[in-house]
């Protein structure tokens, strides 16, 4: 086997190894999806328990806690070995952060039971745990090296993010209805959460396949009753006495329906990983045929050779470097270029999200905003200036860079 064939085979083997790692990552994401869903359910039950001052959902809260514990065990079993691997530094760091936040759950529950965490503080703590877990899904989408799989990952992450924002909307609405009225801060938070959901689901729709979009269509628009209760919250209307459980029940049903679609997206991701591995293995198993046609290659810039010698003919090349080998090399190069072009487009979408998140983080730090308040500030500024949110976010980061003192001062 010539050097050319050896490196061509190494390229194919690298593709297969990368796809197999993505399959393992997909299995981890499936466990993450279930864990996040169970955490959302515990957060919902805990929210009603706190809002009712312990009169409601006591048993439900305990049941959800046990389900979260089971999901954590499944998640830890799906984790990759804690071993060094090139390019895995950030992913391993995010796993460490996730495990750390999960380990803090018993203390959070104890503080809720003792009354040392109010509703807003408890929900913020649950939100942080879930956000840390979602970062793992985002990292997987950001580093995937196969276009079809990367597309499935972005669709899944965007949908999971939208579903999480729906859970936060459920918690905010439940608190407002339990209090009998909505504060201005709660109203602004509800408006921001609804807008952020729309953005997440728009990204999902951009990358989802036709089957997923067909499944999403009946869920895309909230029911009339949900919209009616939203109007009460967003216009500071008088909250209904029975609104708390009604709101919670409607949003919980919506989130459970979303979980069914989320499971479908996870299954699609796993199927694409297996299909890609099978296709790559089938291609690698195909024998390389001997040259059966003559060809010639023009040597550009070889002006030191006589004109008749500036072309190399297949008869003068080694047997393995005949037409079929060069065709395989060319096809592999073209395929890799197509993948690179598609991935560059998807990376741009993810980079926009990263820039917006960095801008939100700076606003939260500088102005003591909540995440939703920071998002609302970016959105309002974009509307006022008739610009895209990404443009405003980049401007915010430019201001942040100018405000940062030079190194050494």
């Amino acid at each position: 086997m010539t050097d050319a064939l050896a490196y061509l085979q190494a390229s194919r083997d690298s593709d297969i190894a990368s796809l197999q790692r993505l399959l393992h990552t997909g299995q981890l994401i499936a466990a993450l999806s279930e864990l996040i869903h169970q955490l959302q359910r515990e957060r919902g039950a805990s929210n009603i328990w706190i809002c009712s001052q312990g009169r409601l959902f006591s048993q439900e809260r305990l049941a959800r806690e046990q389900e979260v514990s089971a999901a954590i065990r499944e998640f830890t079993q799906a984790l990759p070995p804690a071993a060094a691997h090139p390019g895995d530094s950030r992913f391993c760091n995010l796993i460490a952060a996730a495990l750390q936040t999960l380990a803090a759950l018993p203390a959070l529950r104890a503080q809720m039971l003792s009354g040392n965490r109010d509703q807003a503080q408890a929900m913020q703590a649950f939100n942080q745990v879930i956000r840390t877990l979602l970062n793992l899904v985002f990292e997987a989408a950001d580093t995937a090296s196969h276009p079809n799989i990367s597309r499935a990952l972005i669709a899944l992450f965007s949908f999971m993010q939208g579903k999480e924002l729906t859970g936060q909307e459920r918690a905010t609405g439940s608190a407002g209805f339990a209090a009998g009225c909505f504060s201005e801060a709660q109203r602004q938070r509800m408006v921001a959460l609804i807008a952020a959901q729309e953005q997440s689901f728009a990204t999902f729709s951009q990358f989802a396949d036709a089957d997923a979009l067909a499944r999403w269509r009946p869920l895309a628009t909230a029911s009339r009753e949900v919209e009616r209760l939203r109007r009460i919250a967003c216009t500071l209307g008088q909250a209904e006495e029975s609104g708390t459980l009604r709101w919670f029940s409607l949003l919980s049903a919506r989130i459970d329906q979303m979980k069914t679609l989320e499971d479908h997206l996870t299954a699609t991701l796993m199927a694409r990983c297996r299909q890609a591995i099978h296709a790559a293995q089938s291609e690698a198993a195909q024998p390389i045929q001997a040259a059966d046609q003559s060809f010639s290659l023009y040597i550009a810039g070889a002006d030191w050779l006589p004109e008749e010698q500036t072309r190399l003919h297949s008869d003068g090349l080694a047997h393995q470097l005949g037409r079929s080998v060069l065709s395989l090399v060319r096809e592999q190069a073209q395929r890799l270029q197509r993948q690179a072009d598609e991935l560059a487009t998807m990376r741009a979408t993810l980079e926009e999200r990263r820039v917006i998140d960095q801008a939100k983080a700076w606003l939260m730090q500088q102005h003591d905003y909540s995440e939703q308040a920071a998002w609302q500030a970016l959105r309002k500024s974009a509307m006022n200036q008739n610009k895209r949110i990404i443009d405003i976010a980049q401007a915010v980061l430019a201001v942040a860079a100018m405000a940062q003192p030079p190194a050494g001062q």
Side-chain angles (χ1 to χ4, degrees):
M1 182 176 288
T2 66
D3 287 345
L5 287 175
Y7 280 102
L8 178 62
Q9 187 62 47
S11 175
R12 289 174 166 180
D13 291 343
S14 296
D15 281 345
I16 294 171
S18 176
L19 289 168
Q20 287 173 335
R21 289 187 65 209
L22 278 173
L23 178 61
H24 296 151
T25 300
Q27 293 166 345
L28 174 62
I29 289 174
L32 265 172
S33 170
E34 182 62 23
L35 173 55
I36 289 171
H37 185 66
Q38 296 304 335
L39 279 165
Q40 289 167 339
R41 296 182 75 200
E42 182 184 357
R43 178 181 60 191
S46 299
N47 185 50
I48 294 295
W49 181 82
I50 294 173
C51 289
S52 67
Q53 299 178 334
R55 290 181 289 104
L56 299 173
F57 276 45
S58 180
Q59 293 302 316
E60 288 87 345
R61 189 191 65 78
L62 289 173
R64 300 295 89 79
E65 180 181 327
Q66 293 170 357
E67 289 164 352
V68 166
S69 297
I72 290 175
R73 289 193 293 271
E74 293 293 327
F75 167 66
T76 54
Q77 289 173 5
L79 287 174
H85 192 284
D88 268 5
S89 174
R90 178 172 169 78
F91 197 63
C92 289
N93 188 63
L94 290 173
I95 291 174
L99 292 173
Q100 185 178 22
T101 58
L102 291 172
L105 280 174
L108 168 61
R109 293 165 181 148
Q111 290 170 347
M112 287 193 308
L113 290 173
S114 64
N116 290 330
R117 288 276 185 123
D118 62 20
Q119 185 271 345
Q121 292 170 335
M123 295 307 101
Q124 183 59 34
F126 273 110
N127 294 350
Q128 181 58 41
V129 175
I130 294 172
R131 187 181 301 115
T132 304
L133 296 175
L134 280 172
N135 284 339
L136 276 170
V137 186
F138 176 79
E139 181 67 15
D142 194 27
T143 56
S145 56
H146 190 282
N148 282 341
I149 297 171
S150 184
R151 192 175 293 109
L153 274 165
I154 296 173
L156 175 58
F157 167 75
S158 300
F159 191 81
M160 291 176 71
Q161 187 179 45
K163 175 169 164 279
E164 163 57 10
L165 292 166
T166 304
Q168 292 184 28
E169 182 192 7
R170 178 180 62 180
T172 304
S174 296
F177 282 111
C181 63
F182 285 82
S183 67
E184 176 59 25
Q186 288 173 323
R187 185 197 70 80
Q188 291 181 5
R189 181 169 171 79
M190 288 286 288
V191 171
L193 285 168
I194 293 169
Q197 286 175 61
E198 292 175 354
Q199 184 196 37
S200 293
F201 291 134
T203 305
F204 153 75
S205 299
Q206 179 183 351
F207 290 97
D209 59 22
D211 187 17
L213 288 175
R215 293 168 182 260
W216 167 242
R217 208 163 287 121
L219 299 174
T221 304
S223 68
R224 290 183 179 180
E225 181 64 4
V226 169
E227 290 295 347
R228 186 181 72 84
L229 294 173
R230 276 177 170 176
R231 282 195 296 273
I232 293 174
C234 294
T235 59
L236 301 180
Q238 186 66 34
E240 303 169 3
E241 186 176 350
S242 60
T244 305
L245 293 181
R246 179 65 176 156
W247 169 262
F248 182 84
S249 175
L250 288 168
L251 269 290
S252 294
R254 180 168 169 78
I255 290 170
D256 287 342
Q257 289 173 324
M258 288 180 181
K259 180 61 166 67
T260 300
L261 177 49
E262 186 175 298
D263 290 342
H264 169 77
L265 294 171
T266 304
T268 298
L269 169 64
M270 303 296 287
R272 288 190 182 182
C273 286
R274 294 189 179 97
Q275 289 166 1
I277 290 172
H278 181 266
Q281 289 174 334
S282 297
E283 182 183 0
Q286 292 177 359
I288 299 175
Q289 302 297 324
D292 55 2
Q293 298 182 36
S294 62
F295 70 97
S296 61
L297 295 175
Y298 176 71
I299 308 176
D303 52 2
W304 66 90
L305 292 174
E307 183 176 352
E308 66 274 9
Q309 296 182 21
T310 58
R311 305 185 74 83
L312 290 179
H313 294 272
S314 57
D315 293 341
L317 298 177
H319 177 71
Q320 291 89 348
L321 287 179
R323 178 183 179 86
S324 58
V325 177
L326 290 174
S327 296
L328 287 170
V329 172
R330 183 176 62 251
E331 290 168 5
Q332 176 79 340
Q334 291 172 344
R335 183 176 64 81
L336 292 175
Q337 185 59 52
R338 285 194 301 271
Q339 287 188 1
D341 293 343
E342 290 182 55
L343 287 169
T345 300
M346 287 182 271
R347 292 282 186 272
T349 300
L350 293 175
E351 182 59 25
E352 283 193 6
R353 179 193 180 273
R354 197 191 304 277
V355 169
I356 291 171
D357 281 353
Q358 290 174 348
K360 286 194 302 185
W362 188 81
L363 290 173
M364 291 165 66
Q365 180 183 14
Q366 292 296 312
H367 303 287
D368 198 27
Y369 285 164
S370 66
E371 183 177 6
Q372 277 69 38
W375 161 252
Q376 187 68 0
L378 290 172
R379 185 168 177 267
K380 184 177 180 181
S381 181
M383 292 175 64
N384 290 342
Q385 300 181 46
N386 195 26
K387 292 184 177 180
R388 298 181 304 158
I389 292 178
I390 181 62
D391 297 330
I392 301 300
Q394 289 170 338
V396 167
L397 292 182
V399 171
M402 293 176 62
Q404 185 175 0
Q409 291 188 11

